[in-house]
Amino acid sequence: MLRRRIGGPTGPLAGALSLGTLPFGTTVDEKTSFAILDRFVEAGGNLLDTANAYAFWVPGGTGDESEATIGRWLADRGVRDQVLISTKAGARPTVPGTGLETAEGLSGAVVTKAAEDSLRRLGTDHIDVYWSHLEDRTVPLEETVEAFDSLVRDGKATVLGCSNHATWRTERARAVARAGGMTPYTCVQQRYSYLQPRFDLSLPESAHVHVTPELLDYLRAESDLTLMAYSSLISGAYTRADKPLPEAYDHPGSARRLAVLGEVADELGATSNQVVLAWLMAGDPPVIPIVGVSSVEQLDEILGAAELRLPEELRARLDAAAPGQAD
């Protein structure tokens, strides 16, 4: 699998696709999770994305499950030096059975403890990419930035990232880090796919933030920033009739874009999912899609995207297909 440096020119080499592990240990059992992880690494993948909150909303879930499953797999397979672990802090509920209304947030004490807990569950001494999972505007940015920087200085984190942040907040946090001689965020993780949303509609999952044209412009100007995209396949909506488009994507522009996507997929002998991922990976700026699967068979389809190359004329057709929102 193609490798690229993440988090700037001195960052680690990551595969062009990231494996999202959100359901591991909850809706995907451990045996299947291990099989998916094995196949991903066998195919050359190395970037595993998780969080300390996955998946607390599943009945019986606590948020430990995904990290703990990865930790047991790492211990059993002995492959820690072959993979990059990407995990997050900030969204874990502090009251069992509740949601983001009791999220732990990003105070210095919380960030420090969350990292220690993640390291324990993962069974490792460092996190390759450590993220602030969502904004916490109740805490001064200086406090959060200092806490994340301390983790890097102590060797417990390598690269830092922010997820679900407004572009201005990302820039402000990076400015705080630069001014204080601290480690800045050099990765950004937002919701992004080929279909473009209506930005006047908020997502039902209020903490989720879409990639915006402003963010793309900012990323192009900042050579040390890497963009990773979650929900890149919109939970199966490109290929599954039982998965209708979420409201934010349900507008005339999407219908036209889907039609062109289907035509391009047919011409390439690929699936729509593979074309979407190839479009993201070869974009401007290039994107590392984070893709979750629940079976090895689904993973094999996704891995096919890593070998797919979009000719310029086909990419131009995809780009020109009504990228805007409702008319």
Side-chain angles (χ1 to χ4, degrees):
M1 184 183 296
L2 179 69
R3 293 281 199 268
R4 55 173 295 201
R5 294 210 176 270
I6 58 174
T10 63
L13 282 169
L17 281 169
S18 173
L19 180 63
T21 66
L22 181 152
F24 289 5
T26 50
T27 57
V28 177
D29 63 43
E30 186 158 304
K31 180 180 179 181
T32 304
S33 299
F34 278 29
I36 292 169
L37 289 161
D38 288 343
R39 175 70 183 112
F40 184 66
V41 171
E42 176 188 84
N46 72 336
L47 182 56
L48 310 179
D49 187 74
T50 184
N52 73 339
Y54 292 162
F56 72 79
W57 53 89
V58 174
T62 65
D64 289 358
E65 288 79 7
S66 177
E67 286 185 334
T69 300
I70 292 171
R72 289 189 291 273
W73 175 77
L74 289 172
D76 187 74
R77 303 303 197 253
V79 293
R80 178 63 183 93
D81 61 344
Q82 297 179 38
V83 298
L84 301 174
I85 302 296
S86 161
T87 194
K88 314 175 190 75
R92 186 183 177 98
T94 57
V95 179
T98 61
L100 292 178
E101 68 273 12
T102 68
E104 61 189 352
L106 295 172
S107 70
V110 164
V111 170
T112 300
K113 184 179 186 303
E116 293 291 350
D117 290 344
S118 289
L119 289 167
R120 173 178 48 79
R121 283 188 290 269
L122 291 161
T124 186
D125 62 356
H126 72 283
I127 297 163
D128 299 287
V129 190
Y130 198 47
W131 304 83
S132 52
H133 202 162
L134 73 175
E135 289 188 28
D136 181 0
R137 299 190 183 185
T138 70
V139 174
L141 268 175
E142 291 79 3
E143 180 178 342
T144 300
V145 170
E146 287 174 4
F148 275 90
D149 176 66
S150 292
L151 295 173
V152 175
R153 291 179 184 272
D154 292 343
K156 296 176 181 178
T158 304
V159 171
L160 302 178
C162 58
S163 177
N164 298 308
H165 281 49
T167 302
W168 71 267
R169 290 279 292 181
T170 300
E171 166 55 24
R172 184 167 294 179
R174 281 164 55 81
V176 166
R178 288 192 296 266
M182 294 179 286
T183 310
Y185 293 136
T186 51
C187 289
V188 175
Q189 187 176 144
Q190 310 283 67
R191 186 168 180 149
Y192 190 42
S193 188
Y194 173 63
L195 293 185
Q196 302 297 287
R198 288 180 53 179
F199 295 109
D200 60 321
L201 294 178
S202 61
L203 287 163
E205 312 93 332
S206 59
H208 290 199
V209 176
H210 284 295
V211 166
T212 62
E214 179 187 32
L215 177 59
L216 293 175
D217 182 51
Y218 176 60
L219 289 162
R220 293 184 191 106
E222 300 290 314
S223 61
D224 65 330
L225 276 175
T226 301
L227 176 59
M228 301 185 196
Y230 69 86
S231 294
S232 51
L233 297 179
I234 317 180
S235 300
Y238 286 108
T239 56
R240 291 177 53 178
D242 63 327
K243 294 283 187 177
L245 286 175
E247 183 182 12
Y249 298 96
D250 190 8
H251 57 78
S254 287
R256 294 191 292 268
R257 213 151 163 90
L258 284 170
V260 174
L261 175 63
E263 294 168 3
V264 170
D266 287 344
E267 289 182 36
L268 291 173
T271 68
S272 293
N273 284 340
Q274 289 170 339
V275 174
V276 168
L277 296 175
W279 180 85
L280 287 166
M281 288 186 286
D284 178 24
V287 179
I288 295 180
I290 302 168
V291 186
V293 298
S294 57
S295 69
V296 172
E297 290 74 22
Q298 289 178 357
L299 177 61
D300 282 336
E301 178 199 357
I302 298 311
L303 291 171
E307 307 303 322
L308 184 64
R309 298 293 177 263
L310 285 177
E312 284 300 318
E313 63 272 18
L314 293 185
R315 183 173 188 92
R317 279 171 56 191
L318 289 165
D319 290 344
Q325 298 125 43
D327 292 340

